[in-house]
Each structure stands twice: as C-alpha cells, then as structure tokens.
Amino acid sequence: MNAKELLDIVVNAADDKRAEDIIALDMEGVSLIADYFVICHGNSPKQVEAIAHEVKAKAQEAEIDVKRLEGTDEARWILIDLNDVIVHVFHKEDRNYYNLEKLWADAKYVNIDAVLKP
C-alpha cells in the first residue's frame, strides 16, 4: 500500500467518527518524518479518543503497523504514527493552541474532498 492510499484510509476513519476540520499536509521536502500529516479535532475527550481508535483500527485492518500511539491518557492530543502518515487528533481547544498548521506552513495542503463524505 502506498502512502496516498493510507492517507485515504486515515481520512475516512477520522471522518467516520465525525472529526472536524480534517486537513492533510504533504510533507515531501518539508520533513523527513513522514509523507503526510493529518490534523483534525474532536469536541470532547471521548470523541478525540474515538477518532484515534477508529484510525488505529482501520490501519490495522489494512495490515499497517502502528509504530506509536501516544496521548490517550488525557485525550487532548493523540498522535498516531503510521510510518508514512502521522495523525494528530486534537481536542478543539488544544488544536487552536498548538496550531500545527502554522508550524508546518511550508507544507502544501492535500485536497481530500473526494475522500470525505458529503
């Protein structure tokens, strides 16, 4: 499976749990960490945790190794490392505070509209 296919799985999983303001950043030429970053948020710790667990479950169904999953204790910022795709699931307040979109402003946005459900 290539990184773009994994990105689609991640975006679908987050969307299935009603993640809000899902964005994908193309990290090529910006960072060696991953090909894509996905950033989204939920409005409560339970929703943040549900989004993260759905992403993890769908990745595992696709036989993708979950390298690391951190932040589930407080469910304010959960990071899921899937090698080529790194997922940041925030609580809304924390997303605004950390503002990863600004931190990685050099990265291009990936059009994920075709993957999201209307």
Side-chain angles (χ1 to χ4, degrees):
M1 172 177 304
N2 67 39
K4 178 63 171 101
E5 291 169 330
L6 177 56
L7 175 65
D8 291 350
I9 288 170
V10 167
V11 169
N12 268 318
D15 191 39
D16 284 348
K17 292 299 177 182
R18 302 197 190 293
E20 295 191 23
D21 197 17
I22 304 169
I23 65 158
L25 300 176
D26 183 344
M27 301 306 288
E28 184 179 345
V30 179
S31 174
L32 298 174
I33 297 171
D35 293 339
Y36 298 103
F37 275 10
V38 173
I39 304 168
C40 63
H41 70 265
N43 293 312
S44 70
K46 283 191 178 220
Q47 185 185 17
V48 169
E49 197 169 321
I51 295 164
H53 284 293
E54 184 71 7
V55 169
K56 178 184 175 188
K58 294 298 182 184
Q60 288 174 326
E61 282 178 23
E63 299 181 358
I64 301 299
D65 182 39
V66 178
K67 275 180 66 175
R68 176 173 267 161
L69 186 129
E70 296 180 3
T72 56
D73 291 343
E74 294 182 27
R76 302 291 297 183
W77 177 3
I78 298 178
L79 179 127
I80 309 159
D81 185 346
L82 303 171
N83 286 322
D84 295 333
V85 178
I86 295 180
V87 186
H88 302 270
V89 184
F90 285 98
H91 188 283
K92 185 176 184 175
E93 296 164 3
D94 293 284
R95 181 177 184 174
N96 293 333
Y97 178 78
Y98 289 104
N99 199 359
L100 292 187
E101 293 93 326
K102 184 177 179 182
L103 179 66
W104 295 104
D106 293 343
K108 294 177 184 156
Y109 282 76
V110 178
N111 185 345
I112 57 172
D113 290 343
V115 179
L116 297 172
K117 294 174 184 69

